[in-house]
Amino acid sequence: MIRCWVIDDEKSAHKGLAIALKSYDDFQICQNYYAIDQLPDSPPDNLDLIFLDIEMPRANGFSLFQKWQGELPTIVFVTAYNQHALAAFEHQAFDYLLKPIEADRFDGLIQRLRQRFNEKVFYTQKDKLEKLVKHLTKPIPTIQIQTDEGLIKLKIEDILYVQAVGDFVALTLKDQEILTRKTLKSMLEALQPEGFVQIHRSYLVNSKAIQKMEKGRFGDAKVILTNGHTLAVSRRYRTSLIDELTR
């Protein structure tokens, strides 16, 4: 459905467009306005088309382009005056109709509008599909971890948190725990670009694995992860964790 507004100070113009569009089931007049100053501050996202008069009291049709900045719906000027045609097309008007509107001329407009909106839908869907394909084919970030058993390649998204344990670092995954002789500092440098944040002198946590954060009594906090584990957040790192979660 192509959603339309009519902006014209004459009631007869509104009635005439309603009658003209009655034969086209895919066009719907959703709102009627009689002056530019009656309009909201910005167009709604679901508005497709505006039939716009030029000569109106207080502010003419061109003032719409000062009132609304940015991307606009498709504009078709409908006016009794032909001297504004050049200015209309300078404002990127789709078409310029003279009153009274001829039936053949109006039908031609409708066919071209249908083609425009069909193309717009096609390219919107094409853009969404391309973004989806790009997302699905995006390489999954991994990290190589040296253990006593050998070198292991892990998906970073599978690591929930990292804990310093004596001379080792323990990586807690969704289904296992891995020990490595890397330092917590080196792990932070490797994992921070992927959303890991230090929450304690002994812990790094995957911000995407945090299910809930609870405020403590003395400026500290705790986080509850997707696997049910609870980790302490020290006052020193609480602000940086909040910054990461609200980014």
Side-chain angles (χ1 to χ4, degrees):
M1 183 65 68
I2 298 171
R3 297 171 60 87
C4 314
W5 283 7
V6 179
I7 307 173
D8 197 306
D9 62 315
E10 298 178 356
K11 290 185 178 181
S12 60
H14 290 262
K15 185 176 180 180
L17 280 167
I19 293 172
L21 286 171
K22 200 170 183 179
S23 302
Y24 306 98
D25 294 339
D26 48 339
F27 286 76
Q28 178 185 15
I29 296 177
C30 303
Q31 199 67 258
N32 295 84
Y33 292 97
Y34 295 87
I36 295 297
D37 55 16
Q38 295 177 347
L39 301 177
D41 292 334
S42 60
D45 293 336
N46 62 354
L47 176 58
D48 302 306
L49 173 65
I50 296 177
F51 292 100
L52 179 63
D53 188 19
I54 295 178
E55 296 291 340
M56 290 183 285
R58 297 189 297 278
N60 67 29
F62 293 121
S63 63
L64 173 69
F65 299 94
Q66 282 75 52
K67 184 178 181 69
W68 288 352
Q69 302 296 317
E71 187 175 356
L72 297 178
T74 299
I75 305 290
V76 173
F77 283 97
V78 184
T79 179
Y81 305 93
N82 60 12
Q83 66 265 32
H84 300 297
L86 179 59
F89 288 110
E90 287 176 348
H91 284 84
Q92 307 300 313
F94 182 80
D95 207 341
Y96 187 95
L97 297 181
L98 287 174
K99 301 175 184 175
I101 302 171
E102 297 178 358
D104 290 346
R105 177 78 169 85
F106 191 76
D107 185 69
L109 166 67
I110 293 297
Q111 302 312 321
R112 290 188 297 109
L113 284 168
R114 282 172 172 163
Q115 182 179 0
R116 177 188 179 93
F117 287 115
N118 286 338
E119 290 173 352
K120 187 176 181 181
V121 169
F122 169 77
Y123 285 111
T124 299
Q125 292 175 339
K126 180 173 178 286
D127 184 56
K128 288 181 179 179
L129 181 60
E130 288 175 348
K131 288 180 180 178
L132 176 62
V133 170
K134 186 177 180 180
H135 174 73
L136 293 175
T137 57
K138 183 180 179 181
I140 298 175
T142 60
I143 186 171
Q144 300 276 3
I145 299 296
Q146 182 67 53
T147 71
D148 291 343
E149 289 76 33
L151 196 64
I152 300 176
K153 185 177 182 179
L154 300 175
K155 294 179 182 178
I156 292 178
E157 64 182 18
D158 289 341
I159 304 172
L160 302 180
Y161 64 93
V162 182
Q163 180 183 4
V165 184
D167 294 334
F168 291 87
V169 165
L171 284 72
T172 298
L173 281 67
K174 296 176 181 179
D175 54 1
Q176 62 177 315
E177 186 174 279
I178 295 173
L179 288 177
T180 179
R181 292 186 183 274
K182 284 179 175 286
T183 65
L184 196 69
K185 182 180 178 180
S186 67
M187 291 300 301
L188 179 61
E189 290 174 353
L191 296 174
Q192 195 169 38
E194 302 301 329
F196 279 72
V197 61
Q198 188 160 4
I199 60 171
H200 187 277
R201 62 190 178 94
S202 299
Y203 288 103
L204 311 177
V205 68
N206 184 346
S207 61
K208 300 180 184 69
I210 296 175
Q211 195 169 55
K212 185 179 181 182
M213 178 177 177
E214 295 181 354
K215 185 179 179 182
R217 295 177 59 188
F218 305 104
D220 57 347
K222 65 180 180 179
V223 290
I224 301 170
L225 306 185
T226 52
N227 67 345
H229 289 194
T230 299
L231 303 179
V233 181
S234 65
R235 286 182 294 175
R236 178 181 177 184
Y237 298 105
R238 182 169 172 263
T239 300
S240 59
L241 174 59
I242 293 173
D243 289 344
E244 178 66 31
L245 293 176
T246 56
R247 181 178 298 176

